[in-house]
Amino acid sequence: TVVNPNWRAKAMPMMTPIPVQTPGVQGWLLAKEDAQLLISELGRRTDYREFNSPQQLIANGQSIVLSTMRPRQYVKGANPTQTQWPGYQPEMGTIEEGFSLEFSPLMSLDLASADAVVKLRLNQIEKMVPVKLDLPTVVAPNQRVEVEVPQMTMANIHERFHWPMEHVLLLSMGVVATP
Protein backbone atom coordinates (compact mmCIF):
# COMPACT_ATOMS: atom_id res chain seq x y z
CA THR A 1 0.00 0.00 0.00
CA VAL A 2 0.98 3.60 -0.55
CA VAL A 3 -0.79 6.31 1.47
CA ASN A 4 -0.32 9.18 -0.97
CA PRO A 5 -1.19 8.67 -4.67
CA ASN A 6 1.48 11.16 -5.81
CA TRP A 7 3.69 8.19 -6.84
CA ARG A 8 1.84 8.39 -10.17
CA ALA A 9 3.49 11.71 -11.10
CA LYS A 10 6.86 10.04 -11.79
CA ALA A 11 5.46 6.68 -12.90
CA MET A 12 2.88 7.85 -15.46
CA PRO A 13 5.31 8.08 -18.43
CA MET A 14 6.29 4.41 -17.87
CA MET A 15 2.72 3.10 -17.72
CA THR A 16 0.23 2.16 -20.45
CA PRO A 17 -3.40 2.24 -19.25
CA ILE A 18 -5.61 -0.83 -19.64
CA PRO A 19 -9.40 -1.09 -19.31
CA VAL A 20 -10.75 -1.98 -15.86
CA GLN A 21 -14.45 -2.55 -15.19
CA THR A 22 -14.50 -1.96 -11.42
CA PRO A 23 -15.34 1.68 -10.57
CA GLY A 24 -12.45 3.51 -8.91
CA VAL A 25 -9.86 0.93 -9.95
CA GLN A 26 -7.19 1.71 -12.55
CA GLY A 27 -4.78 -0.63 -14.31
CA TRP A 28 -1.58 -0.25 -16.30
CA LEU A 29 1.06 -2.32 -18.02
CA LEU A 30 4.74 -1.59 -17.46
CA ALA A 31 7.90 -2.99 -18.97
CA LYS A 32 9.61 -5.29 -16.45
CA GLU A 33 12.57 -2.90 -16.11
CA ASP A 34 10.24 0.02 -15.42
CA ALA A 35 8.34 -2.04 -12.82
CA GLN A 36 11.62 -2.75 -11.00
CA LEU A 37 12.43 0.99 -11.00
CA LEU A 38 8.95 1.80 -9.66
CA ILE A 39 9.20 -0.79 -6.86
CA SER A 40 12.63 0.53 -5.93
CA GLU A 41 11.28 4.09 -5.85
CA LEU A 42 8.26 3.08 -3.77
CA GLY A 43 10.51 1.21 -1.32
CA ARG A 44 12.23 4.49 -0.45
CA ARG A 45 8.95 6.11 0.59
CA THR A 46 7.92 6.26 4.25
CA ASP A 47 4.25 5.67 3.36
CA TYR A 48 4.95 2.40 1.45
CA ARG A 49 4.14 -0.97 3.02
CA GLU A 50 4.49 -4.52 1.70
CA PHE A 51 2.13 -7.14 3.11
CA ASN A 52 3.93 -10.22 1.83
CA SER A 53 7.22 -11.34 0.34
CA PRO A 54 7.98 -9.59 -2.97
CA GLN A 55 9.36 -12.91 -4.24
CA GLN A 56 6.12 -14.87 -3.68
CA LEU A 57 5.99 -17.76 -6.17
CA ILE A 58 2.63 -18.99 -7.42
CA ALA A 59 2.37 -22.14 -9.51
CA ASN A 60 0.70 -21.79 -12.89
CA GLY A 61 -3.03 -22.42 -12.57
CA GLN A 62 -2.93 -22.29 -8.76
CA SER A 63 -4.35 -19.62 -6.47
CA ILE A 64 -2.87 -17.78 -3.54
CA VAL A 65 -4.80 -15.97 -0.85
CA LEU A 66 -3.20 -13.20 1.21
CA SER A 67 -5.39 -12.16 4.09
CA THR A 68 -5.28 -9.93 7.13
CA MET A 69 -8.97 -10.47 7.95
CA ARG A 70 -9.74 -10.68 11.63
CA PRO A 71 -13.07 -10.69 13.49
CA ARG A 72 -14.07 -7.66 15.52
CA GLN A 73 -16.94 -8.02 17.96
CA TYR A 74 -19.30 -5.25 19.03
CA VAL A 75 -22.65 -4.78 20.79
CA LYS A 76 -25.18 -4.34 17.99
CA GLY A 77 -28.38 -4.50 20.02
CA ALA A 78 -30.12 -5.53 23.22
CA ASN A 79 -32.84 -8.14 23.74
CA PRO A 80 -35.19 -7.66 26.72
CA THR A 81 -35.43 -10.49 29.25
CA GLN A 82 -37.93 -10.70 32.08
CA THR A 83 -36.12 -13.09 34.38
CA GLN A 84 -32.60 -11.77 35.01
CA TRP A 85 -30.77 -8.59 35.88
CA PRO A 86 -30.31 -6.11 34.19
CA GLY A 87 -33.42 -7.01 32.19
CA TYR A 88 -31.73 -7.44 28.82
CA GLN A 89 -29.15 -9.54 27.03
CA PRO A 90 -26.62 -7.76 24.82
CA GLU A 91 -26.82 -8.86 21.19
CA MET A 92 -23.30 -9.27 19.85
CA GLY A 93 -22.25 -8.83 16.25
CA THR A 94 -19.03 -9.64 14.42
CA ILE A 95 -17.46 -7.86 11.46
CA GLU A 96 -14.50 -9.22 9.50
CA GLU A 97 -11.99 -6.36 9.24
CA GLY A 98 -8.91 -6.23 7.02
CA PHE A 99 -8.31 -7.38 3.46
CA SER A 100 -8.35 -10.61 1.53
CA LEU A 101 -6.60 -10.84 -1.84
CA GLU A 102 -6.95 -13.92 -4.04
CA PHE A 103 -4.73 -14.08 -7.10
CA SER A 104 -5.15 -16.89 -9.68
CA PRO A 105 -2.66 -16.73 -12.61
CA LEU A 106 -2.64 -18.87 -15.75
CA MET A 107 0.02 -18.65 -18.46
CA SER A 108 -0.78 -19.35 -22.10
CA LEU A 109 0.63 -22.52 -23.68
CA ASP A 110 3.10 -20.51 -25.78
CA LEU A 111 4.20 -18.56 -22.64
CA ALA A 112 3.57 -15.27 -24.47
CA SER A 113 0.72 -14.02 -22.27
CA ALA A 114 -0.88 -14.43 -18.90
CA ASP A 115 -4.39 -14.31 -17.51
CA ALA A 116 -5.19 -13.71 -13.89
CA VAL A 117 -8.30 -13.47 -11.81
CA VAL A 118 -7.95 -10.92 -9.04
CA LYS A 119 -10.38 -10.88 -6.13
CA LEU A 120 -9.91 -8.30 -3.42
CA ARG A 121 -12.19 -7.60 -0.50
CA LEU A 122 -11.34 -4.77 1.86
CA ASN A 123 -13.38 -3.99 5.00
CA GLN A 124 -12.29 -1.21 7.36
CA ILE A 125 -14.18 -0.04 10.42
CA GLU A 126 -13.59 3.70 10.54
CA LYS A 127 -15.26 4.05 13.91
CA MET A 128 -17.99 2.66 16.10
CA VAL A 129 -20.75 5.21 16.68
CA PRO A 130 -22.27 4.79 20.16
CA VAL A 131 -26.07 4.98 20.48
CA LYS A 132 -27.86 5.01 23.83
CA LEU A 133 -31.20 3.21 23.83
CA ASP A 134 -33.92 3.57 26.45
CA LEU A 135 -34.75 0.01 27.44
CA PRO A 136 -37.16 0.03 30.37
CA THR A 137 -37.88 -3.42 31.77
CA VAL A 138 -39.75 -4.81 34.76
CA VAL A 139 -36.40 -5.39 36.46
CA ALA A 140 -35.05 -1.87 35.81
CA PRO A 141 -37.65 0.68 34.60
CA ASN A 142 -35.21 3.60 33.95
CA GLN A 143 -32.27 2.00 32.22
CA ARG A 144 -30.30 2.96 29.15
CA VAL A 145 -28.23 0.59 27.06
CA GLU A 146 -25.37 1.59 24.79
CA VAL A 147 -25.05 -0.17 21.43
CA GLU A 148 -22.56 0.44 18.63
CA VAL A 149 -23.21 1.17 14.97
CA PRO A 150 -20.22 0.52 12.68
CA GLN A 151 -19.13 3.21 10.23
CA MET A 152 -17.31 1.29 7.52
CA THR A 153 -15.35 1.66 4.31
CA MET A 154 -15.47 -1.24 1.87
CA ALA A 155 -13.88 -1.90 -1.50
CA ASN A 156 -14.17 -4.93 -3.74
CA ILE A 157 -12.72 -6.06 -7.03
CA HIS A 158 -13.31 -9.29 -8.92
CA GLU A 159 -11.90 -9.15 -12.44
CA ARG A 160 -9.94 -11.10 -14.98
CA PHE A 161 -6.93 -9.52 -16.69
CA HIS A 162 -4.95 -10.59 -19.76
CA TRP A 163 -1.52 -9.16 -20.64
CA PRO A 164 1.68 -10.03 -22.54
CA MET A 165 4.40 -11.71 -20.46
CA GLU A 166 7.04 -9.10 -21.28
CA HIS A 167 5.01 -6.63 -19.19
CA VAL A 168 3.94 -6.31 -15.57
CA LEU A 169 0.33 -5.70 -14.52
CA LEU A 170 -0.17 -2.87 -12.01
CA LEU A 171 -3.54 -2.20 -10.36
CA SER A 172 -4.58 0.70 -8.15
CA MET A 173 -7.63 0.68 -5.92
CA GLY A 174 -7.48 4.46 -5.68
CA VAL A 175 -7.51 6.03 -2.24
CA VAL A 176 -9.20 3.60 0.15
CA ALA A 177 -8.89 2.81 3.83
CA THR A 178 -5.69 1.11 4.89
CA PRO A 179 -6.55 -2.16 6.60
Side-chain angles (χ1 to χ4, degrees):
T1 58
V2 182
V3 174
N4 191 320
N6 65 1
W7 62 268
R8 296 178 186 204
K10 285 186 177 179
M12 202 52 71
M14 299 185 283
M15 303 188 305
T16 304
I18 61 168
V20 179
Q21 302 303 311
T22 306
V25 176
Q26 288 183 281
W28 301 274
L29 293 179
L30 292 91
K32 289 181 180 181
E33 302 78 28
D34 292 337
Q36 287 177 333
L37 288 171
L38 178 59
I39 290 171
S40 175
E41 186 71 29
L42 290 173
R44 289 192 274 275
R45 294 174 59 119
T46 59
D47 63 344
Y48 173 77
R49 179 174 171 208
E50 276 188 27
F51 289 91
N52 204 24
S53 167
Q55 303 302 318
Q56 181 73 50
L57 297 177
I58 306 166
N60 190 33
Q62 301 297 310
S63 295
I64 185 169
V65 176
L66 307 173
S67 181
T68 65
M69 293 300 240
R70 63 194 175 283
R72 182 165 168 188
Q73 291 198 338
Y74 67 103
V75 179
K76 71 177 187 177
N79 297 319
T81 62
Q82 301 299 322
T83 58
Q84 62 189 34
W85 176 260
Y88 70 90
Q89 285 282 63
E91 182 182 357
M92 301 303 290
T94 303
I95 294 176
E96 290 283 317
E97 184 177 35
F99 77 86
S100 176
L101 172 68
E102 182 177 349
F103 183 73
S104 304
L106 184 62
M107 301 213 10
S108 64
L109 290 175
D110 63 2
L111 303 178
S113 63
D115 285 285
V117 173
V118 177
K119 292 183 197 177
L120 175 72
R121 183 175 56 123
L122 184 140
N123 296 341
Q124 177 70 34
I125 299 172
E126 292 180 4
K127 67 180 178 178
M128 289 296 210
V129 179
V131 175
K132 293 197 184 291
L133 304 176
D134 291 323
L135 193 66
T137 63
V138 176
V139 179
N142 295 325
Q143 85 177 328
R144 298 189 91 192
V145 176
E146 186 173 296
V147 298
E148 299 170 302
V149 178
Q151 178 178 322
M152 297 189 63
T153 299
M154 302 168 118
N156 293 296
I157 182 175
H158 185 174
E159 284 200 46
R160 180 176 168 241
F161 296 96
H162 178 83
W163 70 98
M165 284 303 300
E166 69 269 2
H167 288 86
V168 172
L169 174 68
L170 173 64
L171 299 174
S172 171
M173 294 289 297
V175 179
V176 295
T178 301

